[in-house]
Amino acid sequence: MIHSLFLINHSGDIFLEKHWKSVISRSVCDYFFEAREKAVDPENVPPVLQTPHHYLISIYRGKLFFLSVIQTEVAPLFVIEFLHRVADTIQDYFGECSEGIIKDNIVTVYELLEEMLDNGFPLATESNVLKEMIRPPTILRSVVNTLTGSSNVGDTLPTGQLSNVPWRRAGVKYTNNEAYFDVIEEIDAILDKSGTTVFAEIQGVIEACVRLTGMPDLTLSFMNPRLLDDVSFHPCVRFKRWESERVLSFIPPDGNFTLMNYHVSSQNLVAIPVYVKQSISFFETGPCGRLDITIGPKQTMGKTVENMMVTIHMPKAVLNANLTATQGTYTYDLTTKVLVWDIGKLNPQKLPNLRGSLSTQVGVPKPEDNPSLNIDLKIQQLAISGLKVSRLDMYGEKYKPFKGVKYLTKAGKFQVKMLCTAHFSTNWRSEYI
Amino acid sequence: MSASSAFNDEKGGSSSVGEPEYGHDPASGGIFSSDYKRHDDLKEMLDSNKDSLKLEAMKRIVAMIARGKNASDLFPAVVKNVACKNIEVKKLVYVYLVRYAEEQQDLALLSISTFQRGLKDPNQLIRASALRVLSSIRVTIIVPIMMLAIKEAASDMSPYVRKTAAHAIPKLYSLDPEQKDQLIEVIEKLLADKTTLVAGSVVMAFEEVCPERIDLIHKNYRKLCNLLIDVEEWGQVVIINMLTRYARTQFLNPNINESLLEEGSGGDKTFYGSDEDEDEDEEEKEKNAEAPAMAKRKPYVMDPDHRLLLRNTKPLLQSRNAAVVMAVAQLYFHLAPKAEVGVIAKALVRLLRSHSEVQYVVLQNVATMTIKRRGMFEPYLKSFYIRSTDPTQIKVLKLEVLTNLANETNISTILREFQTYIKSMDKDFVAATIQAIGRCATNIGEVRDTCLNGLVQLLSNRDELVVAESVVVIKKLLQMQPEKHSDIIKHMAKLTDNIQVPMARASILWLIGEYCEHVPKIAPDVLRKMAKSFTNEEDIVKLQIINLAAKLYLTNSKQTKLLTQYVLNLAKYDQNYDIRDRARFIRQLIVPTEKSGALSKYAKKLFLALKPAPVLESPFKDRDHFQLGSLSHLLNAKAGGYQELPDWPEAAPDPSVRNVEVKDSVPEWTKCSSREKRKEKKVEKPFYSDSEGESGPTESADSESDSASGSESGSGSEESGSGSESVESEEGSESEEEEEDEEEKNKKKKKKELKKPVQESESEQSSEEEERKPERKSKQRKSDSESESDEEESESESSQSESEDSESEAEIKKKKKAAESKPPTKPVKKENKKEKKEMSLLDLDDFEPAPSPQVTPVNTFLSNSLVTDLEGLSLSDTVLSPATIAPSSALKNYELLHRITGEGLSVEYCFSRQPFSPDANMVAVQMQFTNNATSDTKNLHMEDVKLQSGMRVKEFPEIELLPAGETAAAVMGIDFCDSTQAANFQLCTHTKKFFVSIQPPVGELMRPIFLTENEFKKEQGQLMGMNEITEKLTLDAKCRNEHAIVQRVTTAANLSRVPCGSDKECRFAGRTVTSSSLVLVTVATKEEGAAQLTVNCEKMLIGTMLVKDILLALTQ
């Protein structure tokens, strides 16, 4: 299975290597670097590469490449999923997954990798189990450890490994018992130039933070579970209960975890919270163009739209932008040709507007490229699909926990197409479609 | 930091310089600090007595390893610490050892004894990690030691250690492939393991060591299917992939009929190629020589095991793990009937929201799937729309999928979408889009013109790549039907005035030359213009001008003779030798002279040959001969170690090979909260009874009572291949009906299993046995309320010929059978009588069905002392008073220890439903010990009780002597904490220890209480909402009267009846034993056997499980 792992930073340095079988020279990474050179963006490096003797499967996360070396047939997703799990675990342990943090905790990371795979096959990947074997560093513990010489490594087999609930550690105790659930929904949408929805769907996730003593058995039920079209669960969720009763019944892991992901089908009409009026034009003569964007609230269910941000990938020919924003600030990155307009809170009374001129390269014909406009936004206390948690019940323990549910709507891949030149498409459409 | 960065780049860095990044190295002064000094420092720390110093040193060394620096010279100093007490130091030393042992084999041997000691440690974690390190040290000399350790660990009592053993198998195999045979034995043994923990790891070992030994899977197939949902995610992937291959060898193609019917219906058929079909036909013809016509359309019946696999994998589509979802998807794609494959589409589309790497792999697989099963993904068309922020490789793959999905109905939407893509800034993507349009145009005739025109417009694009790609695609499209498109060729001819891109110009010229007959007027004119500008053209254009000239000369020499000669003359003096060569060559070929050879005769044929239209097809075509989701599929090349996905067999191999294996109960209540999961604790048993051999692992009886988990005692496993005729015939009939209902199936299976050993061991008969048997049987049958009489019939018949050998087995079977069929049969009758009596005598509304005649159990608390007395009596009496046992015969008896496993000692237990006097919170378990051995058993007692937290056990008093052939009884108490977790303990005799476990049905976790109707209603009112579970059911035909219902409910659960005014309702009440939570059950009957079951219970879990149990009791 997974033979070796190399962690490679943005500039191409290998800063950690781990071998689960015999050692493979790091020169194998050269094939990867070659592919990395070819692909301009790091996202464009093919996740699976073939070299004369090995296969390289890599993921790109947090500006790092996790590169694994494979020698024989294995499901590629198996490896990819595992590498992401490694990154998740590091994030879970140290708060972030970056080169600096890994270098600072290199021994712990190495020990983690040792536990996670045995001979290239996953051994312990549940964060609750790992945390019992190798305790995450805290300031207090590191002080205690230096003084007493005690260690971060557990000496008994975590009970989770053997129990029916491998995701939960045993003997959990809290003075404040609390369970929080964040229902986070993202709108994925493609709007065309006129503002018509080409495609829209809602992807939701329920992130849980459960700190409960003992072995609580939770049941989370929804007011309108019919909304959910497709779901995937944390292994703790009893699938049969969901099938028969449409409730989430589970013994939760301790701490933070993703309880479920869901999808609200595009058949249900997706409310689009904002509208965009935009025009971008380049004059046939002269090195300039005009840009005018106005954004207003559409279907926000009475909530305020916050953290509005508009990102436009400008055509390459646009040299600079000279714009005025009635609200918020804008920046234009000359090298990447990305225009970012940070609006902030959306005020329905006074709609934010961004307009001004664009200067283009002299002598170059007007751009034909198709800039797209990506929107970012947040709406607190609203699940745009209308999903509502009706109740959370706890069984198996006697105390009364503190329960909380939070809703949040975000823009996911929310894209508005801007067509600045349309002669080709209009012709085509009028004639044949 | 900065100083070090220079050295980071040193690849493979041999014993190189400092580790300043990692912390506080005293010698991190810089480049000039020598290795010696620094390592001396570390050595000193390692030699010190202080653990903290050692730890510090080890951390630094491991940091060096992590960064890829060489630390091998520290080996001697490190290896000394292998026995260090500090667990973290020890672990780090292990890490170091595994890394360097291969390089320093001699020194590594020093550490071996430590691991050997570790293998015997009482702590399972230490045993496991010792085995892990031992097996990871790649030193050939210790292969025998490893082999021994693996064998030993494979029978370890801790499943975690066994898991480690499974992991060690491929390690040893890669170190020394000679050991294969021995390792296969271990794999075989571990495959029989029933814990979810081991399953994934051992299948992985199987895949690495002996993937060709598919026969090892037979016996474990059903178990693997059933355990699957509870195996950890990674194991699931491996198991599913393996089972896909297995199923391909064992079952028939579910689409066989369709592919026969569908002949010539294009794409869908290709995979199950026609030759295969023919083979199939031939095969069947041979079989049914008299009815060959029938054979072809023989109805396909899915093997129930095939169905089992499909059913048990389906929920995993909801897994959070993309690899699991993909594994299930490929399984369905390769194995499911066409109509069912659709379910995977939604899950795969969901994965498209995941990380881009996941998308990449999923899209590749979707692309392959869409070629064969387009309809599956059509509803999700829009999910494949491309966003400008997608990485290029994702865009191209989505484009591929969109193209595959295009058909007459959706093509206009897709083309509209494609238009916007053409405007993208990503030119590679634009090029791919143009090709995609080309493919749509070839596949869908209706839009060919639209696409062509759109593409023609693209020719004026400024981007060379776009134009080149368009021209290439147009060229391909025109080649398909040039006669219809002379206007486009004309249009393109005009474009030569404007288009500057050489590639495009060249392509246009080629087109005009190729189809000059269609544009006879324009072509010479184009040549004229070209001749004018010849000297200024790019080389590729010049070459095409020459080509054009040559072709025109051949077709229209009158008009173009001079022009051609002019062009050839110009070319003759060109700077480029290719062009000069070409001109010379063409002149010789086309211009007839005296010298010109025979070739010029064929010039026309050479130049104007009909060129076949290029085929525009998906690069994903035919990729599905690789197992989807595999690396080989992704690369479209066979990767090392890839196991071919076999073709379906022409005739199904004998399905009975799988029969032997215990069809174990599935799931854990954590997932499904059904009572099924109780059984999983039993799984370790086979490991402690190595010598069982033929008789196979013995399931304890109580698992048999669980109807959802058809089980069997796996006797006669070896012979099973040659299943006797009656079995076969039974199976034939079975397989036809089997698909419908799980329960029904399980029931049948059990039945089948019951018969098996009977038929297999028809050897010496003991007449005595023989007599006893039917007698008992008939007795039982008499009391039967005829419900299952025909089933019983057949069984009793076969049991008459039973041999002594299998007697005990059969007996158990019978008990199991009895246990199964009892609720509706024997006890029902018995209790019915009792009830009637009680009613008439006392006129009590709450007739209490507790079966002990000694206890008047209405209010159990009151009768405690009495029970104690009675128990005391019965216990003091070694020869069992029949009175004590008698009542329990009405209760289900469970097997704790089988005679063979227990080497003569057999133990059964039942939940006596009497209060356990020493502790009211405990459930009384009555055990009956029988010594079937020839020698006495002494000091029978229990030890080493292993319980879930909160549970308690009151051990039974030691039985000092149990003479051969005698029976003894004892009572123990277990506080199950209101859970159905098993209590595990060892049953010890003076010589042996047996691991056993007791797991209560949920109904035994409660005691009856007395409530009045009003109290009941009040309590019920307080237990609404989530505490109430309601199920609709149809009552079993034998169970439509009130008494039968009461009987069945009270047999299933230890509850008492609550008086009720209506005769349409039966109510029961009880409290859980430990927490005294109220349990209220209501069965409301309606017409025609319809009924509604309501359970109100504070403990949700108990409530849910109870509902299932009672439901089962009432419907069967």
Side-chain angles (χ1 to χ4, degrees), chain A residues 77-131:
Chain A
L77 269 185
F78 185 99
V79 182
I80 288 169
E81 186 76 24
F82 177 79
L83 294 177
H84 277 295
R85 203 61 70 81
V86 171
D88 289 341
T89 308
I90 292 173
Q91 186 145 15
D92 191 33
Y93 260 71
F94 311 112
E96 62 169 318
C97 179
S98 66
E99 186 183 1
I101 214 91
I102 294 174
K103 277 184 171 170
D104 288 348
N105 297 286
I106 197 154
V107 177
T108 316
V109 172
Y110 199 83
E111 283 178 320
L112 276 174
L113 291 175
E114 178 77 25
E115 284 307 326
M116 290 180 83
L117 280 187
D118 181 14
N119 195 36
F121 191 78
L123 187 63
T125 49
E126 278 302 333
S127 131
N128 266 259
V129 170
L130 284 171
K131 279 183 177 164

Side-chain angles (χ1 to χ4, degrees), chain B residues 200-264:
Chain B
S201 305
V202 68
V203 172
M204 192 266 306
F206 170 83
E207 289 284 81
E208 294 213 0
V209 178
C210 51
E212 71 284 353
R213 288 291 305 274
I214 210 86
D215 57 298
L216 295 181
I217 302 301
H218 291 324
K219 285 171 272 166
N220 303 294
Y221 172 82
R222 289 179 192 151
K223 182 195 69 195
L224 284 174
C225 285
N226 285 324
L227 285 182
L228 194 58
I229 192 147
D230 294 320
V231 175
E232 31 83 49
E233 326 164 59
W234 312 106
Q236 284 173 347
V237 179
V238 180
I239 295 177
I240 294 172
N241 283 331
M242 185 275 290
L243 287 181
T244 308
R245 238 178 51 235
Y246 177 85
R248 267 298 183 90
T249 61
Q250 301 298 319
F251 305 131
L252 287 177
N253 181 358
N255 298 317
I256 189 79
N257 285 346
E258 281 172 51
S259 53
L260 280 174
L261 291 171
E262 254 168 30
E263 248 156 312

Side-chain angles (χ1 to χ4, degrees), chain A residues 187-354:
Chain A
I187 308 168
D188 284 1
I190 302 177
L191 305 186
D192 72 8
K193 200 179 71 165
S194 57
T196 324
T197 313
V198 176
F199 170 70
E201 60 179 9
I202 297 169
Q203 303 286 349
V205 60
I206 300 184
E207 298 282 359
C209 174
V210 177
R211 301 179 196 286
L212 296 174
T213 309
M215 271 283 172
D217 193 332
L218 302 180
T219 306
L220 186 77
S221 41
F222 299 102
M223 305 273 263
N224 38 10
R226 298 257 165 265
L227 276 177
L228 307 179
D229 178 40
D230 181 37
V231 285
S232 70
F233 299 121
H234 189 274
C236 69
V237 177
R238 292 165 188 133
F239 185 69
K240 288 193 177 153
R241 279 291 298 278
W242 171 257
E243 286 252 285
S244 58
E245 299 167 52
R246 298 273 147 181
V247 294
L248 298 179
S249 161
F250 55 99
I251 293 176
D254 186 40
N256 297 318
F257 66 103
T258 302
L259 180 62
M260 81 183 275
N261 286 288
Y262 62 87
H263 172 265
V264 176
S265 83
S266 39
Q267 274 100 39
N268 299 346
L269 223 54
V270 175
I272 304 294
V274 292
Y275 70 85
V276 182
K277 274 187 195 159
Q278 37 89 12
S279 76
I280 182 168
S281 52
F282 297 98
F283 302 121
E284 214 53 73
T285 52
C288 61
R290 286 205 65 78
L291 177 78
D292 191 336
I293 304 175
T294 310
I295 294 187
K298 202 171 165 190
Q299 293 161 286
T300 60
M301 325 277 172
K303 309 275 185 195
T304 335
V305 180
E306 295 168 47
N307 296 40
M308 272 295 301
M309 186 137 78
V310 177
T311 314
I312 307 173
H313 292 262
M314 285 293 184
K316 294 242 161 31
V318 177
L319 283 183
N320 210 341
N322 187 11
L323 310 166
T324 42
T326 59
Q327 187 187 340
T329 52
Y330 81 93
T331 51
Y332 183 64
D333 189 320
L334 298 178
T335 46
T336 56
K337 313 281 181 199
V338 175
L339 176 76
V340 179
W341 179 26
D342 190 347
I343 301 169
K345 213 176 253 178
L346 194 63
N347 181 358
Q349 269 75 51
K350 194 167 156 285
L351 301 180
N353 172 270
L354 178 75

Side-chain angles (χ1 to χ4, degrees), chain B residues 475-679:
Chain B
K475 207 170 82 180
K476 286 174 182 169
L477 287 180
L478 288 184
Q479 262 180 281
M480 297 178 76
Q481 20 177 213
E483 59 286 345
K484 275 174 73 182
H485 293 290
S486 50
D487 52 331
I488 289 182
I489 300 174
K490 274 179 210 154
H491 175 74
M492 287 178 84
K494 280 181 206 148
L495 282 176
T496 49
D497 294 341
N498 305 322
I499 287 185
Q500 293 310 316
V501 183
M503 183 59 200
R505 287 176 80 87
S507 295
I508 294 169
L509 292 176
W510 181 88
L511 262 179
I512 294 172
E514 187 67 23
Y515 302 116
C516 48
E517 300 117 81
H518 302 297
V519 282
K521 288 189 184 143
I522 294 176
D525 200 42
V526 172
L527 183 63
R528 183 183 57 82
K529 278 187 187 168
M530 286 298 137
K532 238 188 207 172
S533 62
F534 185 85
T535 44
N536 300 324
E537 297 289 349
E538 289 281 326
D539 289 346
I540 42 167
V541 185
K542 282 178 181 167
L543 287 173
Q544 287 307 326
I545 296 173
I546 299 171
N547 268 350
L548 174 65
K551 284 172 184 169
L552 284 180
Y553 183 87
L554 289 172
T555 51
N556 188 3
S557 59
K558 207 190 273 174
Q559 269 187 302
T560 56
K561 191 174 180 182
L562 286 173
L563 265 174
T564 307
Q565 268 169 3
Y566 175 65
V567 168
L568 288 176
N569 280 335
L570 281 176
K572 196 173 164 186
Y573 300 106
D574 200 86
Q575 282 180 321
N576 186 305
Y577 50 77
D578 271 345
I579 294 170
R580 292 200 300 273
D581 281 352
R582 178 74 61 91
R584 232 169 269 143
F585 157 70
I586 284 182
R587 188 192 292 273
Q588 288 301 316
L589 208 58
I590 60 173
V591 183
T593 55
E594 302 83 60
K595 283 186 281 175
S596 69
L599 265 182
S600 60
K601 269 188 271 174
Y602 300 106
K604 236 180 184 164
K605 273 190 183 160
L606 280 174
F607 281 97
L608 297 172
L610 201 64
K611 287 145 189 109
V615 189
L616 296 177
E617 64 180 12
S618 167
F620 288 89
K621 194 169 181 285
D622 286 342
R623 264 215 211 171
D624 62 349
H625 63 270
F626 286 115
Q627 188 169 358
L628 263 74
S630 66
L631 185 61
S632 305
H633 169 265
L634 191 81
L635 300 167
N636 201 15
K638 209 174 146 187
Y642 173 74
Q643 295 291 316
E644 293 281 352
L645 193 63
D647 275 339
W648 293 101
E650 283 130 19
D654 183 8
S656 61
V657 286
R658 287 179 294 275
N659 281 349
V660 193
E661 200 38 47
V662 175
K663 191 164 171 288
D664 206 53
S665 53
V666 191
E668 327 213 333
W669 57 275
T670 50
K671 288 256 171 64
C672 65
S673 69
S674 79
R675 48 178 293 202
E676 292 169 83
K677 78 148 293 220
R678 266 181 267 137
K679 271 80 224 183

